[in-house]
Amino acid sequence: MVRQERALRTRRLILEAAASVFDDFGYEGATIGEVVSRAGVTRGAVYFHFASKRDLAQGVVEEQFVQDGVPERSCKLQEFVDTGMVVAHLMPRNPLLSAGARLSLGQDVFDELGGGAIPGWISRMEALLTAAGERGELLPHVVPADTAWLVIAAWTGVQIQSQKLSGRADLEQRVSGLFQHLMPSVAVPGVLGSLQMGSDRGARVVAEVAAARAAVEAGEGLTEPRVGAADAVANGIGMS
């Protein structure tokens, strides 16, 4: 058990170091040597967990799906919005999400990584929209697969534009604007009026998750909120 925990910690340390390297240099510019240096581990430790730079990049991309921590909601369209807003909040602050976005969008690795995280985000958002439809939250014309594709494409475009123009400083504001423009064509009026889509929504959900986790650790008997996409679509939010 001790060895297993140590191995998991080392793997996480390597992934975090690799994320910072990929985020700084891109896939082609990144080297295992730089990952070793930043992680403070041996080259053998890196290769024990990841057979190649490609495997390391894939690990960073897949790690996006355990970073967002969005609680399950009775209103699935609120959960849909929360997913996008939480990623918008975390991306400028979390190298794993930022690097996953760069790797997913880089033309030099797009084919090698199978589209990066984009197909997984589309699947996750489609699953939420499908659940929303089953609860009567969607307008009649909404096709979950089509809407999920369009929303992820739009979110990705917003992220790229925000990165180029402000270094993602306005990402939460821009993603909030995106949802405020799109959701009237998705949600039935009764649900639309209740959706919380403000630019501070991601920060508030992150604080909610942190408080719930602290309560669990303090032994107050609260159920830990769902974290990541594993229970949504086996994580199939990196947005972009």
Side-chain angles (χ1 to χ4, degrees):
M1 182 65 71
V2 173
R3 288 181 179 177
Q4 184 178 23
E5 290 176 355
R6 186 183 301 119
L8 289 173
R9 286 197 299 271
T10 300
R11 185 180 187 277
R12 174 73 181 189
L13 186 66
I14 292 168
L15 279 175
E16 290 176 347
S20 69
V21 173
F22 286 128
D23 206 22
D24 287 346
F25 302 108
Y27 183 79
E28 290 299 330
T31 65
I32 296 295
E34 184 64 23
V35 174
V36 167
S37 176
R38 295 193 186 189
V41 299
T42 64
R43 188 175 292 266
V46 173
Y47 284 117
F48 175 80
H49 291 280
F50 303 97
S52 64
K53 186 168 77 169
R54 180 197 176 283
D55 285 349
L56 194 52
Q58 188 66 48
V60 169
V61 167
E62 291 173 355
E63 193 68 15
Q64 289 193 59
F65 299 113
V66 294
Q67 297 301 307
D68 55 301
V70 177
E72 187 171 357
R73 309 288 187 193
S74 58
C75 175
K76 289 302 170 182
L77 284 184
Q78 184 63 66
E79 191 175 338
F80 180 86
V81 171
D82 286 353
T83 298
M85 292 306 305
V86 165
V87 175
H89 175 73
L90 292 178
M91 186 167 284
R93 300 166 173 84
N94 188 322
L96 281 161
L97 285 170
S98 182
R102 179 165 183 172
L103 288 169
S104 296
L105 294 171
Q107 290 301 311
D108 53 347
V109 292
F110 187 85
D111 292 335
E112 191 168 354
L113 296 181
I118 292 173
W121 284 118
I122 293 173
S123 295
R124 181 169 178 183
M125 298 305 254
E126 181 183 348
L128 288 172
L129 288 170
T130 298
E134 292 169 351
R135 288 164 170 76
E137 298 173 12
L138 302 181
L139 291 169
H141 69 273
V142 175
V143 177
D146 294 344
T147 300
W149 194 100
L150 289 169
V151 168
I152 294 303
W155 198 108
T156 300
V158 168
Q159 189 275 134
I160 293 171
Q161 196 83 324
S162 176
Q163 169 67 18
K164 290 183 178 296
L165 297 180
S166 74
R168 297 197 185 110
D170 65 349
L171 182 57
E172 291 173 89
Q173 173 191 347
R174 299 304 181 184
V175 172
S176 171
L178 172 68
F179 280 120
Q180 290 180 48
H181 277 78
L182 292 181
M183 295 312 289
S185 66
V186 174
V188 297
V191 171
L192 179 64
S194 70
L195 292 179
Q196 299 182 48
M197 299 181 283
S199 60
D200 65 339
R201 180 62 183 173
R204 290 193 287 117
V205 174
V206 168
E208 173 192 349
V209 171
R213 283 176 173 161
V216 170
E217 292 171 359
E220 294 182 14
L222 297 181
T223 301
E224 187 173 4
R226 186 192 58 138
V227 176
D231 28 10
V233 282
N235 261 343
I237 325 124
M239 304 248 181
S240 73

